[in-house]
Amino acid sequence: MSKGSPGPTPGFLVWRLANKWRVAVDRALAPLGLTHAQYALAASLHGMQRVGERPSQRRLADHTGLEALYVSKLARALESAGLIERTRDPRDPRAVQLALTEQGQAVVQRAIVVVQGLLQQLLEPLGGLDAPRTRAFTDELMTLLDVPIAPSVPNDESTQGTTP
């Protein structure tokens, strides 16, 4: 919270909401052997495959907003679990392409149903998943997510001791 602010800042609330939803999704997906991050990666891969794409790890990182190294770590864990396969891109030997296995498809499809039910529950205070308030909330989130992050400013005296 900031000085002089009578209540929590928007950033604090977004952080709290993100953590609350991550924990809820982690708990809901635990019986399927997935974490929220693994689900985000696998469900995104599922959607991309449905439109005929076989994305590279880099492309999937760009799509999800996750760091490329984190995507690599998640992909290796999902590969070890038999849910995805990682292969070299024939057009670029440095790139690794990802695809869901049959088992991965089945798990992701079950996970999507679980997460959709959870989202309906979490969004009930706004009227549910298809409610006008939820669509407006989603639009506001998209507006914030579309703003590019400025490059880091090196530490200097003007940024010492300040919090974003």
Side-chain angles (χ1 to χ4, degrees):
M1 294 204 286
S2 67
K3 295 178 193 173
S5 175
T9 64
F12 179 75
L13 293 174
V14 168
W15 177 75
R16 287 277 318 270
L17 183 61
N19 281 315
K20 178 181 180 176
W21 285 29
R22 182 193 49 79
V23 168
V25 174
D26 277 343
R27 288 179 183 159
L29 293 177
L32 296 174
L34 293 174
T35 66
H36 189 198
Q38 290 171 333
Y39 168 77
L41 191 81
S44 294
L45 183 55
H46 172 73
M48 295 169 97
Q49 279 185 220
R50 285 181 49 176
V51 296
E53 195 172 341
R54 186 177 174 122
S56 67
Q57 287 184 172
R58 164 56 60 196
R59 170 79 178 95
L60 196 54
D62 292 344
H63 177 80
T64 61
L66 296 170
E67 293 292 328
L69 284 174
Y70 191 44
V71 168
S72 177
K73 179 181 174 184
L74 291 170
R76 288 179 195 279
L78 291 168
E79 181 182 40
S80 293
L83 302 181
I84 70 168
E85 57 187 21
R86 300 167 67 245
T87 57
R88 291 280 170 209
D89 184 334
R91 298 168 307 216
D92 181 357
R94 299 167 297 163
V96 175
Q97 289 182 319
L98 303 174
L100 289 167
T101 62
E102 277 188 45
Q103 178 187 355
Q105 287 282 359
V107 169
V108 168
Q109 288 171 354
R110 288 196 315 266
I112 288 170
V113 171
V114 168
V115 171
Q116 288 295 312
L118 179 61
L119 282 176
Q120 183 65 33
Q121 176 188 343
L122 292 171
L123 292 167
E124 196 56 43
L126 299 180
L129 199 53
D130 297 319
R133 285 183 67 197
T134 299
R135 284 192 296 279
F137 177 59
T138 301
D139 290 343
E140 296 292 351
L141 291 172
M142 290 299 295
T143 297
L144 295 174
L145 288 169
D146 286 343
V147 175
I149 296 175
S152 297
V153 177
N155 283 338
D156 64 25
E157 289 180 18
S158 68
T159 62
Q160 294 289 322
T162 62
T163 54

